[in-house]
């Protein structure tokens, strides 16, 4: 599923990210319950893996995707833009993107950007629904 994010000038980012050894600073994975789990530093190097994980989850579960942000120590505008696009895409299809267990860092970033109402974190500190 295309999230419509223009790669433009950033096409060589993954190689540059690998060169500086940041691949161990973040992790993104999709669990079987349409939960995208993120941890670590979600910066521009995490943007492509996050976009791919969300697209996979949205393909398998087009009505609701949960994003667990409880272990995120930092999030930048590139990853927030991916979350916004995924939320808009799901909303257009009658679904929703739910941020679960958002860390205080994520909540603050969304609030500072004025996005805390558009990307409303739910269940702060609570595990995502359907996880054990």
């Amino acid at each position: 599923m295309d999230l419509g994010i223009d790669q433009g000038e950033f096409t060589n980012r993954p190689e540059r990210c690998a060169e500086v050894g940041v691949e161990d600073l973040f992790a993104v994975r999709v669990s079987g319950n349409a939960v995208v789990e993120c941890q670590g530093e979600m910066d521009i190097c995490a943007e492509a893996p996050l976009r791919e994980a969300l697209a996979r989850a949205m393909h398998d579960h087009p009505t609701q995707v949960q994003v667990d942000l409880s272990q995120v120590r930092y999030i930048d505008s590139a990853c927030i833009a991916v979350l916004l696009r995924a939320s808009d895409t799901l909303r257009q299809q009658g679904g929703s993107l739910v941020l679960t267990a958002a860390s205080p860092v994520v909540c603050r970033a969304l609030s500072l950007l004025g996005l805390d109402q558009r990307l409303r974190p739910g269940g702060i500190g609570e595990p995502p629904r359907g996880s054990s």
Side-chain angles (χ1 to χ4, degrees):
M1 176 172 289
D2 179 23
L3 294 182
I5 298 171
D6 179 24
Q7 294 302 299
E9 65 191 81
F10 301 114
T11 55
N12 64 347
R13 255 178 309 140
E15 292 81 17
R16 288 190 13 226
C17 292
E19 285 174 13
V20 295
V22 296
E23 61 273 3
D24 294 328
L25 296 179
F26 65 87
V28 178
R29 73 180 187 96
V30 181
S31 75
N33 298 330
V35 177
V36 176
E37 299 173 352
C38 303
Q39 63 186 58
E41 298 180 14
M42 301 300 294
D43 62 10
I44 198 154
C45 293
E47 181 259 341
L50 176 59
R51 186 180 67 250
E52 292 164 10
L54 284 168
R56 202 171 38 227
M58 291 164 60
H59 178 267
D60 294 343
H61 303 275
T63 58
Q64 185 180 60
V65 173
Q66 298 177 56
V67 182
D68 179 355
L69 300 168
S70 62
Q71 300 300 310
V72 173
R73 295 186 307 263
Y74 172 82
I75 189 165
D76 75 359
S77 60
C79 289
I80 291 172
V82 171
L83 293 173
L84 283 169
R85 288 286 167 105
S87 176
D88 290 347
T89 300
L90 283 165
R91 191 173 302 123
Q92 290 171 356
Q93 298 171 351
S96 63
L97 181 79
V98 178
L99 305 183
T100 60
S103 70
V105 169
V106 172
C107 292
R108 178 149 169 80
L110 294 176
S111 177
L112 288 172
L113 292 169
L115 297 171
D116 48 339
Q117 295 302 310
R118 187 162 166 209
L119 276 177
R120 191 172 302 199
I124 296 173
E126 299 172 9
R129 284 181 266 152
S131 69
S132 34

